[in-house]
């Protein structure tokens, strides 16, 4: 199967690296300058921002037999329209960073969807080139999965950044937090998040929480601390 990846951002970079590691014939093109000279392929993977996806799809003209899939967790399959009848969704559920491409997708779940059973089968075969963790997922389920990913990845990474800011002005490096970060992530492999929860809010230790609030430098941080502590306390 000849594959073209449209896009050169975070997701596209890792997909290109992962397919190439499997010695699969693949080519990446820019969504901005490469649409007029697209190479012939059996499958076109659109790895572009959601807000650009429709315009990029409209700018791609191929034979009707080709398979077209996008990698978004929130955009519907109907975005492809009637001129691309063989289409679907190929959504690898992972955090991707262009500066640190992932070459091994074997542990990464890939969520797929298509309207026609033959297209589901084709997308499954495509996904199987990279991973054995493949799931069919509706638009409804993918949207909620995407929100869940924002909480467990994007918001969590924000917490790392805020934690690093609390250490500024001390002699303690951020690396001192890494064992705690790793153990926190490891625990939810064997415990539910509710059972893994610890800390002063879980213990309802008002004295410690009040002291923490006195150490925070801004009203915004204090409000965030209080909101998160209240949510922990309700569990």
């Amino acid at each position: 199967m000849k594959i073209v990846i449209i896009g050169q951002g975070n997701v596209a970079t890792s997909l290109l690296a992962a397919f190439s590691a499997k010695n699969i014939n693949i080519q990446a093109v820019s969504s901005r300058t490469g649409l007029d000279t697209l190479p012939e392929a059996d499958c076109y993977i659109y790895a572009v921002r959601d807000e650009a996806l429709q315009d990029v799809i409209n700018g791609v003209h191929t034979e009707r037999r080709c398979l077209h899939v996008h990698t978004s967790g929130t955009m519907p399959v109907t975005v492809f329209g009637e001129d691309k009848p063989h289409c679907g969704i190929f959504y690898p559920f992972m955090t991707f960073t262009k500066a640190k491409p992932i070459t091994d997708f074997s542990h990464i779940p890939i969520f797929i969807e298509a309207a026609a059973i033959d297209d589901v089968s084709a997308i499954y075969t495509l996904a199987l080139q990279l991973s054995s963790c493949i799931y069919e997922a509706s638009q409804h389920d993918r949207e909620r999965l995407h929100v869940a990913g924002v909480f467990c990845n994007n918001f969590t990474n924000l917490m790392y950044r805020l934690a690093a800011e609390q250490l500024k002005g001390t002699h303690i490096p951020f690396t001192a937090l890494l064992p705690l970060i790793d153990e926190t992530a490891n625990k939810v492999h064997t415990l539910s998040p509710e059972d893994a929860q610890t800390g002063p809010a879980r213990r309802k230790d008002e004295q410690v929480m009040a002291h923490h609030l006195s150490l925070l430098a801004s009203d915004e941080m204090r409000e965030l601390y209080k909101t998160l502590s209240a949510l922990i306390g309700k569990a």
Side-chain angles (χ1 to χ4, degrees):
M1 177 183 284
K2 292 184 179 179
I3 302 169
V4 168
I5 296 175
I6 300 172
Q8 295 181 323
N10 293 333
V11 177
T13 299
S14 281
L15 283 175
L16 177 61
F19 278 117
S20 298
K22 295 285 188 176
N23 295 316
I24 295 171
N25 186 6
I26 193 162
Q27 185 172 344
V29 300
S30 170
S31 61
R32 296 181 179 180
T33 61
L35 300 186
D36 293 335
T37 56
L38 277 178
E40 292 186 5
D42 303 300
C43 177
Y44 295 87
I45 302 176
Y46 297 74
V48 300
R49 295 176 182 270
D50 285 3
E51 59 267 27
L53 181 58
Q54 186 68 77
D55 287 341
V56 173
I57 288 173
N58 292 342
V60 171
H61 304 286
T62 64
E63 295 182 18
R64 288 175 63 84
R65 64 173 179 77
C66 299
L67 179 65
H68 299 263
V69 297
H70 70 66
T71 61
S72 170
T74 58
M75 297 295 285
V77 68
T78 53
V79 72
F80 286 106
E82 295 182 357
D83 68 325
K84 297 177 177 65
H86 300 292
C87 59
I89 290 159
F90 179 94
Y91 175 42
F93 188 63
M94 178 53 61
T95 175
F96 294 106
T97 305
K98 191 172 184 178
K100 189 178 180 294
I102 298 173
T103 58
D104 181 7
F105 273 50
S106 60
H107 64 295
I108 296 176
I110 299 176
F111 294 86
I112 67 172
E113 182 189 7
I117 187 65
D118 289 345
D119 294 333
V120 171
S121 178
I123 299 170
Y124 185 91
T125 300
L126 174 67
L128 202 58
Q129 303 298 310
L130 298 182
S131 175
S132 59
C133 305
I134 305 165
Y135 306 90
E136 283 192 64
S138 67
Q139 177 73 14
H140 172 278
D141 289 355
R142 276 197 328 279
E143 287 174 341
R144 280 145 187 81
L145 176 67
H146 195 268
V147 173
V150 168
F151 274 91
C152 72
N153 172 246
N154 305 137
F155 290 167
T156 300
N157 194 75
L158 171 63
M159 294 300 112
Y160 299 158
R161 195 191 86 195
L162 296 178
E165 290 177 2
Q166 298 311 306
L167 295 179
K168 289 180 179 178
T170 76
H171 297 291
I172 302 172
F174 179 78
T175 52
L177 297 177
L178 294 180
L180 174 62
I181 290 170
D182 292 342
E183 178 61 16
T184 302
N186 286 334
K187 278 198 295 185
V188 294
H189 284 263
T190 55
L191 298 174
S192 70
E194 183 178 357
D195 289 339
Q197 186 72 62
T198 62
R202 179 63 181 265
R203 300 191 304 270
K204 301 188 185 306
D205 193 329
E206 299 292 341
Q207 184 173 349
V208 169
M209 288 191 287
H211 182 60
H212 286 173
L213 288 169
S214 73
L215 297 174
L216 296 173
S218 69
D219 290 340
E220 187 176 47
M221 286 295 294
R222 284 188 285 272
E223 286 303 313
L224 178 62
Y225 185 100
K226 287 190 285 187
T227 297
L228 294 176
S229 295
L231 289 172
I232 292 172
K234 289 179 180 179

